[in-house]
């Protein structure tokens, strides 16, 4: 019986794939229509997928687009526990640094998925990249977008702390914050400050995507109530709520939640030593000036998203 089935499968291979392949309709034609070169037939072939036994590589249906030092790595690692989520581990940086390589190159980075599974990636710098919204929209207007946001002052200090760990001789946080400390003029050209002006960046995304297609995750609540935030994310992605309180425990040493069991492991898993670094002491007058600076942008962001993140 097995030999008969295999004979029928091979006999159908050429004509069936050509006549009615749902993969060819879904994944090959849109790229040709958008002016991108067609992908190799093998990438979309149901026959190769069958013998590989691990599904098909697809362009992502959902992307975590930001923000840096907001909690994107934690969110991705938590989501990967879900059996219907398959995600790239490393950040592809396709829509900001590697766009000229083309969609075929991008797709090849993706993990194989089975029917009903979601392909995801995360690259936090997309949120502040001017060209990214148009490029993602060109790939698929239906892409679901996730932004993890965090108190912009805390985020800026965390950003600086990360840089300081790599370059111990950089100027102080206080000196980098101001163009002129005497006048109190904030240097918005410094990326650590500029990233936190969320309302400004969101305006660019709303030119290409409706607000309902973007989910805003609170970085603070991701720490205090990871299961609650993951519940919202699973709903947004149309997934069954499988990730719950039972998956987490709070690590007091690190100061954030960890997984009781990571993807593909029976052991507890916390994010690496680069996460949860101790922040340097910052002059409280500088912190207050930054809070005053961000306040109007935060208020506008709350209005745009319909969420009060409680940063003031």
């Amino acid at each position: 019986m097995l030999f008969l089935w295999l004979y029928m499968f091979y006999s159908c291979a050429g004509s069936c794939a050509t006549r009615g392949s749902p993969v060819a309709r879904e994944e090959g034609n849109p790229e040709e229509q958008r002016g991108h070169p067609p992908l190799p037939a093998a990438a979309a072939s149901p026959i190769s997928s069958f013998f590989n036994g691990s599904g098909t590589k697809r362009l992502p249906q959902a992307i975590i687009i930001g923000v840096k030092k907001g909690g994107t790595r934690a969110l991705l690692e938590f989501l990967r526990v879900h059996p219907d989520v398959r995600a790239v581990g490393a950040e592809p940086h396709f829509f900001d640094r590697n766009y000229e390589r083309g969609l075929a190159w991008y797709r090849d980075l993706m993990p194989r998925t089975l029917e009903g599974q979601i392909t995801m990636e995360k690259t936090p710098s997309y949120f502040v990249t001017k060209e990214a919204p148009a490029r993602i929209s060109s790939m698929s207007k239906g892409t679901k977008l996730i932004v993890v946001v965090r108190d912009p002052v805390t985020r800026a200090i965390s950003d600086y702390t990360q840089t300081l760990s790599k370059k111990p001789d950089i100027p102080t946080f206080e000196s980098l914050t101001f163009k002129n400390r005497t006048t109190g003029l904030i240097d918005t050209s410094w990326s650590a400050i500029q990233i936190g002006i969320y309302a400004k960046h969101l305006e660019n995304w709303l030119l290409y995507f409706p607000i309902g297609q973007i989910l805003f995750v609170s970085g603070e609540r991701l720490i205090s109530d990871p299961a609650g935030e993951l519940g919202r994310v699973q709903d947004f992605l149309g997934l069954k709520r499988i990730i719950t309180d039972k998956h987490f425990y709070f690590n007091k040493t690190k100061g954030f939640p960890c997984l009781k069991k990571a993807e593909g492991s029976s052991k507890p898993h916390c994010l690496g030593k680069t996460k949860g670094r101790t922040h340097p002491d910052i002059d409280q007058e500088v912190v207050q000036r930054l809070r005053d600076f961000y306040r109007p942008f935060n208020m506008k962001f709350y209005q745009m998203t319909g969420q009060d993140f409680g940063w003031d």
Side-chain angles (χ1 to χ4, degrees):
M1 188 67 183
L2 176 61
F3 289 107
L4 177 61
W5 186 90
L6 287 172
Y7 172 77
M8 294 174 66
F9 191 91
Y10 273 113
S11 299
C12 181
S15 58
C16 294
T18 303
R19 287 198 305 267
S21 168
V23 177
R25 288 198 303 271
E26 176 189 349
E27 298 179 340
N29 295 341
E31 276 136 41
E32 293 183 62
Q33 293 167 3
R34 297 184 187 107
H36 295 285
L39 297 173
S45 168
I47 299 171
S48 62
S49 296
F50 172 82
F51 285 106
N52 285 333
S54 54
T56 304
K57 291 192 175 188
R58 308 174 194 274
L59 294 170
Q61 298 101 317
I63 304 175
I64 300 173
I65 59 172
V67 297
K68 180 184 179 185
K69 305 308 296 181
T72 58
R73 173 55 58 185
L75 177 61
L76 186 71
E77 291 302 310
F78 295 163
L79 274 175
R80 291 174 79 178
V81 172
H82 200 291
D84 290 333
V85 171
R86 298 280 286 133
V88 183
E91 296 173 4
H93 283 281
F94 175 64
F95 295 104
D96 56 353
R97 302 177 190 170
N98 295 301
Y99 194 63
E100 73 286 349
R101 293 175 179 263
L103 284 172
W105 177 86
Y106 183 47
R107 172 184 281 166
D108 196 51
L109 298 178
M110 299 299 137
R112 294 182 180 275
T113 54
L114 302 174
E115 191 67 31
Q117 291 182 317
I118 291 177
T119 302
M120 292 188 67
E121 70 116 316
K122 78 106 176 171
T123 304
S125 52
Y126 290 163
F127 189 62
V128 298
T129 299
K130 188 175 181 180
E131 299 82 8
R135 289 172 174 177
I136 294 177
S137 177
S138 177
M139 176 187 74
S140 172
K141 294 183 182 296
T143 306
K144 292 185 176 183
L145 308 172
I146 301 174
V147 187
V148 188
V149 288
R150 181 184 184 187
D151 181 329
V153 178
T154 308
R155 197 221 66 81
I157 297 172
S158 180
D159 198 336
Y160 173 80
T161 303
Q162 182 182 56
T163 305
L164 184 65
S165 70
K166 300 173 182 177
K167 302 176 181 178
D169 58 342
I170 61 171
T172 64
F173 180 88
E174 290 83 351
S175 64
L176 291 170
T177 297
F178 300 102
K179 283 186 176 179
N180 186 319
R181 186 164 182 177
T182 303
T183 62
L185 184 63
I186 303 294
D187 188 356
T188 56
S189 67
W190 184 29
S191 63
I193 300 295
Q194 199 256 354
I195 290 172
I197 309 175
Y198 303 139
K200 173 186 173 183
H201 304 302
L202 180 56
E203 285 177 344
N204 190 31
W205 287 89
L206 294 181
L207 296 174
Y208 298 90
F209 293 93
I211 193 72
Q213 211 165 307
I214 309 174
L215 180 70
F216 300 91
V217 174
S218 165
E220 286 82 13
R221 287 196 293 271
L222 195 59
I223 293 174
S224 64
D225 181 20
E229 285 300 278
L230 264 293
R232 293 179 60 240
V233 176
Q234 290 171 96
D235 291 346
F236 176 70
L237 295 175
L239 298 170
K240 183 179 179 181
R241 284 199 177 197
I242 289 177
I243 306 171
T244 62
D245 280 324
K246 69 181 181 181
H247 289 92
F248 302 99
Y249 73 94
F250 192 81
N251 185 305
K252 293 182 179 180
T253 303
K254 282 187 168 288
F256 52 73
C258 301
L259 289 168
K260 290 182 180 177
K261 291 183 180 180
E263 179 200 25
S265 172
S266 60
K267 298 179 180 179
H269 172 67
C270 278
L271 297 179
K273 62 182 181 181
T274 61
K275 306 298 179 183
R277 292 186 183 96
T278 301
H279 291 178
D281 290 329
I282 306 298
D283 186 328
Q284 286 306 299
E285 179 190 351
V286 174
V287 171
Q288 188 56 52
R289 287 197 184 188
L290 273 177
R291 294 208 176 280
D292 294 340
F293 166 77
Y294 279 121
R295 187 169 294 109
F297 296 110
N298 290 345
M299 293 301 107
K300 184 176 181 181
F301 185 66
Y302 296 171
Q303 291 176 339
M304 295 171 77
T305 61
Q307 294 178 238
D308 184 339
F309 291 89
W311 297 324
D312 295 285

